[in-house]
Amino acid sequence: MKALVYDRPGTIEWREHPDPAIREQTDIILRVTTTTLCGTDVHVLNGGVPDAPPGTVLGHEGVGIVEEVGSAVRNVAPGDRVLATAMTACGSCPFCTARLYGQCVHGGWKLGHTIDGAQAEYVRIPFAQNSVYKVPPELTDEQVVLLPCIFITGYDVGVLLGQVSPGDTVAIVGAGPVGLATTLVAQLFSPATIVAVDPIESRRQKALEVGATHAVSPEEAGAVVADLTGGLGADVTIEAAGFPAPFELAVELVRPGGRIVNIGVHEQPVTLHMEKLWSMGVTLATGIPNGLSIPRLMRAISSGGLDVTSLITHRLPLEKIEEAYDVFTHASETNALKVVLSA
Protein backbone atom coordinates (compact mmCIF):
# COMPACT_ATOMS: atom_id res chain seq x y z
CA MET A 1 0.00 0.00 0.00
CA LYS A 2 0.96 3.69 -0.07
CA ALA A 3 1.29 5.63 3.17
CA LEU A 4 2.66 8.89 4.59
CA VAL A 5 5.74 7.77 6.55
CA TYR A 6 7.60 9.81 9.17
CA ASP A 7 11.33 9.14 8.83
CA ARG A 8 12.90 11.69 11.18
CA PRO A 9 12.12 15.21 12.41
CA GLY A 10 11.30 17.34 9.40
CA THR A 11 11.06 14.43 6.96
CA ILE A 12 7.96 12.62 5.69
CA GLU A 13 7.30 10.76 2.44
CA TRP A 14 4.29 9.28 0.63
CA ARG A 15 5.60 5.87 -0.45
CA GLU A 16 5.14 2.13 -0.49
CA HIS A 17 4.74 0.66 2.99
CA PRO A 18 3.89 -2.87 4.21
CA ASP A 19 0.18 -3.66 4.28
CA PRO A 20 -1.27 -3.90 7.80
CA ALA A 21 -2.38 -7.29 9.06
CA ILE A 22 -4.48 -8.59 11.94
CA ARG A 23 -2.15 -9.05 14.93
CA GLU A 24 -4.64 -9.53 17.73
CA GLN A 25 -8.16 -10.89 17.45
CA THR A 26 -9.46 -7.52 18.68
CA ASP A 27 -8.06 -5.77 15.55
CA ILE A 28 -9.72 -4.70 12.34
CA ILE A 29 -8.21 -3.63 9.02
CA LEU A 30 -9.73 -0.46 7.61
CA ARG A 31 -9.54 0.72 4.00
CA VAL A 32 -9.22 4.46 4.44
CA THR A 33 -11.61 6.56 2.37
CA THR A 34 -11.12 9.93 4.08
CA THR A 35 -8.52 11.31 6.47
CA THR A 36 -7.19 14.69 7.57
CA LEU A 37 -4.21 16.46 9.08
CA CYS A 38 -3.94 17.63 12.67
CA GLY A 39 -1.64 19.95 14.55
CA THR A 40 -0.50 16.95 16.56
CA ASP A 41 0.82 15.38 13.35
CA VAL A 42 2.92 18.52 12.90
CA HIS A 43 4.21 18.14 16.46
CA VAL A 44 5.42 14.64 15.49
CA LEU A 45 6.90 15.92 12.22
CA ASN A 46 8.80 18.66 14.06
CA GLY A 47 10.29 16.22 16.56
CA GLY A 48 8.09 17.39 19.42
CA VAL A 49 6.90 13.83 20.13
CA PRO A 50 10.22 12.01 20.63
CA ASP A 51 8.70 8.59 21.33
CA ALA A 52 7.25 8.44 17.79
CA PRO A 53 9.62 5.97 16.08
CA PRO A 54 11.04 6.62 12.61
CA GLY A 55 9.15 4.67 9.98
CA THR A 56 5.74 5.31 11.55
CA VAL A 57 2.74 6.16 9.35
CA LEU A 58 1.20 9.38 10.63
CA GLY A 59 -2.47 10.22 11.21
CA HIS A 60 -5.06 9.52 13.89
CA GLU A 61 -8.30 10.55 12.15
CA GLY A 62 -9.90 8.34 9.54
CA VAL A 63 -13.11 7.12 7.99
CA GLY A 64 -13.14 3.94 5.96
CA ILE A 65 -14.60 0.59 5.03
CA VAL A 66 -13.91 -2.43 7.22
CA GLU A 67 -11.94 -4.99 5.20
CA GLU A 68 -11.11 -7.62 7.81
CA VAL A 69 -11.99 -8.27 11.45
CA GLY A 70 -10.41 -10.31 14.21
CA SER A 71 -12.43 -13.15 15.68
CA ALA A 72 -13.15 -11.21 18.89
CA VAL A 73 -14.72 -8.21 17.10
CA ARG A 74 -18.52 -8.18 17.33
CA ASN A 75 -19.58 -4.58 16.74
CA VAL A 76 -18.56 -4.23 13.07
CA ALA A 77 -18.22 -6.49 10.05
CA PRO A 78 -16.50 -6.34 6.65
CA GLY A 79 -18.21 -3.75 4.46
CA ASP A 80 -19.25 -1.45 7.31
CA ARG A 81 -18.32 2.23 7.03
CA VAL A 82 -16.79 3.34 10.32
CA LEU A 83 -15.02 6.23 12.01
CA ALA A 84 -11.86 5.34 13.90
CA THR A 85 -11.29 7.19 17.17
CA ALA A 86 -8.00 8.94 17.87
CA MET A 87 -7.75 7.06 21.17
CA THR A 88 -7.83 3.27 21.16
CA ALA A 89 -9.18 1.60 24.29
CA CYS A 90 -8.81 -1.95 25.57
CA GLY A 91 -11.99 -1.57 27.63
CA SER A 92 -10.76 -3.50 30.65
CA CYS A 93 -7.84 -1.66 32.27
CA PRO A 94 -8.43 0.55 35.37
CA PHE A 95 -8.67 3.70 33.25
CA CYS A 96 -11.06 2.20 30.70
CA THR A 97 -13.37 0.90 33.39
CA ALA A 98 -13.42 4.47 34.75
CA ARG A 99 -14.37 5.64 31.22
CA LEU A 100 -11.01 7.39 30.76
CA TYR A 101 -10.27 5.83 27.38
CA GLY A 102 -7.64 8.42 26.55
CA GLN A 103 -5.53 7.11 29.44
CA CYS A 104 -5.89 3.42 28.49
CA VAL A 105 -2.90 1.43 29.73
CA HIS A 106 -2.77 -0.64 26.53
CA GLY A 107 -4.11 1.93 24.09
CA GLY A 108 -4.66 5.67 24.31
CA TRP A 109 -3.11 7.79 21.59
CA LYS A 110 -1.34 5.12 19.52
CA LEU A 111 -2.36 5.75 15.90
CA GLY A 112 0.26 7.83 14.11
CA HIS A 113 2.25 7.98 17.34
CA THR A 114 3.66 4.62 18.36
CA ILE A 115 1.89 2.49 15.72
CA ASP A 116 1.02 3.14 12.09
CA GLY A 117 -1.80 5.61 11.62
CA ALA A 118 -4.54 6.54 9.18
CA GLN A 119 -2.75 8.66 6.58
CA ALA A 120 -2.52 5.59 4.38
CA GLU A 121 -4.56 3.41 2.08
CA TYR A 122 -5.12 0.89 4.90
CA VAL A 123 -4.72 0.97 8.68
CA ARG A 124 -4.92 -1.55 11.50
CA ILE A 125 -7.19 -0.40 14.33
CA PRO A 126 -6.52 -2.14 17.68
CA PHE A 127 -9.29 -2.79 20.22
CA ALA A 128 -11.93 -2.16 17.56
CA GLN A 129 -14.77 -3.02 19.95
CA ASN A 130 -14.14 0.29 21.74
CA SER A 131 -12.29 2.27 19.08
CA VAL A 132 -14.58 2.59 16.04
CA TYR A 133 -18.13 3.80 15.47
CA LYS A 134 -20.40 3.02 12.54
CA VAL A 135 -21.14 6.13 10.49
CA PRO A 136 -24.88 6.75 10.02
CA PRO A 137 -25.84 6.42 6.34
CA GLU A 138 -27.18 9.98 6.18
CA LEU A 139 -23.76 11.44 7.07
CA THR A 140 -20.85 11.88 4.65
CA ASP A 141 -17.23 11.12 5.43
CA GLU A 142 -16.51 14.86 5.58
CA GLN A 143 -19.22 15.37 8.19
CA VAL A 144 -17.54 13.03 10.67
CA VAL A 145 -13.81 12.87 9.86
CA LEU A 146 -13.01 15.86 12.08
CA LEU A 147 -14.74 14.38 15.13
CA PRO A 148 -12.02 12.03 16.49
CA CYS A 149 -9.57 14.78 17.43
CA ILE A 150 -10.39 18.50 17.33
CA PHE A 151 -14.13 18.26 17.90
CA ILE A 152 -14.02 15.60 20.56
CA THR A 153 -11.16 17.48 22.25
CA GLY A 154 -13.20 20.65 22.26
CA TYR A 155 -16.25 18.77 23.55
CA ASP A 156 -14.90 16.12 25.93
CA VAL A 157 -12.12 18.24 27.41
CA GLY A 158 -12.90 21.89 26.73
CA VAL A 159 -16.67 22.03 27.19
CA LEU A 160 -17.41 19.11 29.52
CA LEU A 161 -14.42 19.57 31.86
CA GLY A 162 -15.00 23.31 31.72
CA GLN A 163 -18.64 22.72 32.73
CA VAL A 164 -19.85 25.26 30.19
CA SER A 165 -23.40 26.18 31.17
CA PRO A 166 -26.25 28.38 29.90
CA GLY A 167 -25.48 32.06 30.42
CA ASP A 168 -21.73 31.61 30.89
CA THR A 169 -19.04 33.89 29.55
CA VAL A 170 -16.50 31.65 27.82
CA ALA A 171 -13.09 32.86 26.63
CA ILE A 172 -11.33 30.60 24.13
CA VAL A 173 -7.67 31.56 23.73
CA GLY A 174 -6.51 30.35 20.33
CA ALA A 175 -8.70 30.32 17.22
CA GLY A 176 -6.93 27.61 15.28
CA PRO A 177 -8.75 24.41 14.34
CA VAL A 178 -9.23 23.10 17.88
CA GLY A 179 -10.24 26.51 19.23
CA LEU A 180 -12.77 26.97 16.45
CA ALA A 181 -14.12 23.45 16.98
CA THR A 182 -14.53 24.32 20.67
CA THR A 183 -16.38 27.50 19.68
CA LEU A 184 -18.83 25.39 17.68
CA VAL A 185 -19.50 22.74 20.31
CA ALA A 186 -19.69 25.25 23.17
CA GLN A 187 -22.81 26.69 21.54
CA LEU A 188 -24.62 23.41 22.22
CA PHE A 189 -24.63 24.51 25.89
CA SER A 190 -26.03 28.04 25.33
CA PRO A 191 -23.35 30.25 26.88
CA ALA A 192 -24.26 33.95 26.80
CA THR A 193 -20.92 35.04 25.38
CA ILE A 194 -18.03 33.35 23.58
CA VAL A 195 -14.90 35.49 23.28
CA ALA A 196 -12.38 34.11 20.79
CA VAL A 197 -8.83 35.38 21.24
CA ASP A 198 -6.21 35.14 18.51
CA PRO A 199 -3.47 37.37 17.07
CA ILE A 200 -4.42 36.54 13.45
CA GLU A 201 -7.22 38.62 11.94
CA SER A 202 -8.43 35.92 9.53
CA ARG A 203 -8.89 33.48 12.38
CA ARG A 204 -10.75 36.04 14.46
CA GLN A 205 -13.06 36.58 11.51
CA LYS A 206 -13.60 32.83 11.16
CA ALA A 207 -14.43 32.61 14.85
CA LEU A 208 -17.20 35.15 14.36
CA GLU A 209 -18.47 33.22 11.35
CA VAL A 210 -18.81 30.00 13.36
CA GLY A 211 -20.56 31.60 16.32
CA ALA A 212 -18.22 33.53 18.61
CA THR A 213 -19.92 36.68 19.90
CA HIS A 214 -16.62 38.55 20.12
CA ALA A 215 -13.21 38.01 18.51
CA VAL A 216 -10.27 40.02 19.79
CA SER A 217 -6.49 40.14 19.81
CA PRO A 218 -4.60 38.99 22.94
CA GLU A 219 -3.84 42.61 23.77
CA GLU A 220 -7.56 43.48 23.80
CA ALA A 221 -8.80 40.39 25.61
CA GLY A 222 -8.46 41.58 29.21
CA ALA A 223 -10.38 44.80 28.66
CA VAL A 224 -13.10 43.14 26.58
CA VAL A 225 -13.72 40.32 29.08
CA ALA A 226 -13.71 42.79 31.97
CA ASP A 227 -16.25 44.99 30.18
CA LEU A 228 -18.51 42.02 29.43
CA THR A 229 -18.44 40.71 32.99
CA GLY A 230 -18.42 43.87 35.11
CA GLY A 231 -14.77 43.26 35.90
CA LEU A 232 -15.34 39.74 37.30
CA GLY A 233 -13.70 37.69 34.54
CA ALA A 234 -14.86 34.78 32.40
CA ASP A 235 -16.71 31.82 33.91
CA VAL A 236 -14.68 29.45 31.73
CA THR A 237 -11.39 30.01 29.92
CA ILE A 238 -10.13 27.43 27.45
CA GLU A 239 -6.51 27.50 26.27
CA ALA A 240 -6.39 26.06 22.75
CA ALA A 241 -3.03 27.19 21.39
CA GLY A 242 -0.37 25.16 23.19
CA PHE A 243 2.08 27.95 24.05
CA PRO A 244 3.02 29.62 27.35
CA ALA A 245 1.61 33.10 26.62
CA PRO A 246 -1.90 31.91 25.65
CA PHE A 247 -2.05 29.67 28.71
CA GLU A 248 -1.06 32.52 31.01
CA LEU A 249 -3.66 34.73 29.32
CA ALA A 250 -6.34 32.10 29.94
CA VAL A 251 -5.39 32.20 33.62
CA GLU A 252 -5.55 36.00 33.70
CA LEU A 253 -9.02 36.08 32.15
CA VAL A 254 -10.78 33.71 34.59
CA ARG A 255 -12.95 34.93 37.45
CA PRO A 256 -12.73 33.71 41.06
CA GLY A 257 -14.49 30.36 41.24
CA GLY A 258 -14.13 29.91 37.49
CA ARG A 259 -12.77 27.04 35.43
CA ILE A 260 -9.59 26.95 33.33
CA VAL A 261 -9.18 24.15 30.78
CA ASN A 262 -6.05 23.41 28.80
CA ILE A 263 -6.58 21.67 25.45
CA GLY A 264 -3.48 22.94 23.62
CA VAL A 265 -0.56 20.55 23.05
CA HIS A 266 2.47 21.94 24.87
CA GLU A 267 6.10 21.21 24.02
CA GLN A 268 7.67 23.58 26.56
CA PRO A 269 7.18 24.47 30.23
CA VAL A 270 4.48 26.91 31.26
CA THR A 271 4.45 29.06 34.38
CA LEU A 272 1.46 28.55 36.66
CA HIS A 273 1.08 31.71 38.75
CA MET A 274 0.00 30.23 42.03
CA GLU A 275 0.83 33.55 43.73
CA LYS A 276 -2.32 34.83 41.99
CA LEU A 277 -4.44 31.69 41.92
CA TRP A 278 -4.02 30.24 45.42
CA SER A 279 -6.94 32.17 46.89
CA MET A 280 -9.24 32.29 43.85
CA GLY A 281 -10.96 28.92 44.12
CA VAL A 282 -10.49 28.15 40.45
CA THR A 283 -10.56 24.69 38.88
CA LEU A 284 -7.80 23.77 36.41
CA ALA A 285 -8.46 20.83 34.09
CA THR A 286 -6.26 19.16 31.50
CA GLY A 287 -6.59 16.02 29.44
CA ILE A 288 -7.04 14.29 26.15
CA PRO A 289 -10.40 13.13 24.81
CA ASN A 290 -12.00 9.79 25.58
CA GLY A 291 -14.05 9.62 22.39
CA LEU A 292 -17.15 8.38 24.17
CA SER A 293 -19.15 11.42 23.07
CA ILE A 294 -18.67 10.77 19.33
CA PRO A 295 -22.13 9.17 18.88
CA ARG A 296 -23.69 12.20 20.61
CA LEU A 297 -21.90 14.57 18.24
CA MET A 298 -22.96 12.45 15.26
CA ARG A 299 -26.56 12.88 16.38
CA ALA A 300 -26.03 16.64 16.68
CA ILE A 301 -24.72 16.70 13.12
CA SER A 302 -27.64 14.60 11.85
CA SER A 303 -30.13 16.96 13.49
CA GLY A 304 -28.51 20.03 11.96
CA GLY A 305 -27.26 21.37 15.29
CA LEU A 306 -23.57 21.09 14.44
CA ASP A 307 -21.75 21.75 11.16
CA VAL A 308 -18.19 20.48 11.35
CA THR A 309 -17.55 20.98 7.63
CA SER A 310 -17.40 24.74 8.18
CA LEU A 311 -13.78 24.27 9.25
CA ILE A 312 -12.68 22.48 6.06
CA THR A 313 -10.66 24.91 3.95
CA HIS A 314 -8.82 22.57 1.56
CA ARG A 315 -9.65 19.26 -0.12
CA LEU A 316 -7.05 17.10 -1.86
CA PRO A 317 -6.70 13.49 -3.02
CA LEU A 318 -4.86 11.25 -0.59
CA GLU A 319 -1.88 10.81 -2.90
CA LYS A 320 -1.21 14.57 -2.62
CA ILE A 321 -0.77 14.41 1.14
CA GLU A 322 2.76 15.85 1.01
CA GLU A 323 1.28 18.93 -0.67
CA ALA A 324 -1.39 18.96 2.03
CA TYR A 325 1.28 19.15 4.74
CA ASP A 326 2.87 22.09 2.95
CA VAL A 327 -0.48 23.87 2.84
CA PHE A 328 -1.27 23.04 6.47
CA THR A 329 2.12 24.02 7.90
CA HIS A 330 2.03 27.37 6.10
CA ALA A 331 -1.39 28.29 7.43
CA SER A 332 -0.45 31.94 7.91
CA GLU A 333 -0.07 32.17 4.13
CA THR A 334 -2.72 29.66 2.99
CA ASN A 335 -5.36 30.34 5.70
CA ALA A 336 -5.62 26.57 6.12
CA LEU A 337 -7.71 25.25 8.98
CA LYS A 338 -8.50 21.64 8.11
CA VAL A 339 -7.24 19.85 5.02
CA VAL A 340 -9.31 16.78 4.11
CA LEU A 341 -7.89 14.02 1.93
CA SER A 342 -10.00 11.47 0.07
CA ALA A 343 -8.93 8.17 -1.46
Side-chain angles (χ1 to χ4, degrees):
M1 70 170 184
K2 289 286 190 72
L4 194 282
V5 182
Y6 164 74
D7 287 317
R8 60 183 181 276
T11 303
I12 51 176
E13 184 181 13
W14 175 253
R15 64 171 187 252
E16 290 293 334
H17 190 76
D19 289 351
I22 297 289
R23 296 185 183 181
E24 304 290 341
Q25 293 310 308
T26 50
D27 294 347
I28 67 168
I29 304 299
L30 191 67
R31 175 171 58 83
V32 177
T33 55
T34 305
T35 187
T36 185
L37 310 186
C38 179
T40 309
D41 300 323
V42 178
H43 282 285
V44 177
L45 173 61
N46 291 340
V49 186
D51 58 342
T56 299
V57 176
L58 296 186
H60 50 272
E61 301 157 285
V63 184
I65 306 300
V66 177
E67 292 283 307
E68 187 179 355
V69 301
S71 61
V73 177
R74 296 286 184 268
N75 56 325
V76 295
D80 287 342
R81 184 168 63 115
V82 302
L83 173 70
T85 64
M87 307 298 161
T88 57
C90 72
S92 59
C93 74
F95 293 116
C96 284
T97 55
R99 297 176 65 80
L100 295 172
Y101 280 13
Q103 308 299 328
C104 176
V105 171
H106 307 292
W109 176 38
K110 295 290 188 182
L111 292 175
H113 176 200
T114 58
I115 66 173
D116 285 345
Q119 290 170 6
E121 293 177 323
Y122 295 88
V123 60
R124 178 180 70 93
I125 307 295
F127 306 119
Q129 197 75 23
N130 304 301
S131 305
V132 298
Y133 292 100
K134 290 182 182 179
V135 179
E138 70 272 16
L139 297 182
T140 67
D141 283 12
E142 282 195 357
Q143 287 180 293
V144 299
V145 71
L146 305 187
L147 293 183
C149 190
I150 63 167
F151 274 89
I152 206 65
T153 297
Y155 188 85
D156 272 3
V157 187
V159 171
L160 294 187
L161 290 187
Q163 301 174 40
V164 174
S165 302
D168 276 353
T169 294
V170 180
I172 300 172
V173 185
V178 70
L180 292 170
T182 307
T183 300
L184 280 161
V185 294
Q187 293 167 66
L188 299 174
F189 291 80
S190 301
T193 307
I194 299 176
V195 181
V197 184
D198 200 279
I200 299 173
E201 170 60 29
S202 62
R203 291 192 169 186
R204 296 198 297 269
Q205 183 59 43
K206 187 65 177 180
L208 293 172
E209 291 174 11
V210 300
T213 57
H214 301 74
V216 300
S217 69
E219 294 75 21
E220 301 170 301
V224 170
V225 170
D227 183 62
L228 289 169
T229 62
L232 296 178
D235 298 283
V236 185
T237 63
I238 300 172
E239 191 282 316
F243 296 99
F247 177 82
E248 293 187 22
L249 179 57
V251 173
E252 291 176 13
L253 295 177
V254 77
R255 69 172 58 199
R259 286 89 67 194
I260 306 164
V261 187
N262 178 87
I263 59 176
V265 177
H266 289 265
E267 294 184 13
Q268 53 189 304
V270 174
T271 300
L272 182 64
H273 289 283
M274 289 305 297
E275 75 278 9
K276 298 179 180 178
L277 292 178
W278 71 271
S279 64
M280 288 179 62
V282 300
T283 299
L284 172 62
T286 69
I288 55 178
N290 300 313
L292 292 166
S293 300
I294 284 177
R296 179 175 297 175
L297 294 185
M298 285 184 177
R299 291 194 294 272
I301 296 167
S302 293
S303 70
L306 179 63
D307 177 15
V308 306
T309 64
S310 60
L311 299 190
I312 299 173
T313 54
H314 296 75
R315 295 170 172 85
L316 291 168
L318 183 56
E319 63 267 21
K320 290 191 176 181
I321 192 167
E322 291 182 50
E323 178 183 335
Y325 267 87
D326 187 59
V327 168
F328 189 65
T329 56
H330 293 87
S332 61
E333 303 162 24
T334 64
N335 290 324
L337 290 172
K338 293 300 289 187
V339 182
V340 168
L341 301 123
S342 299

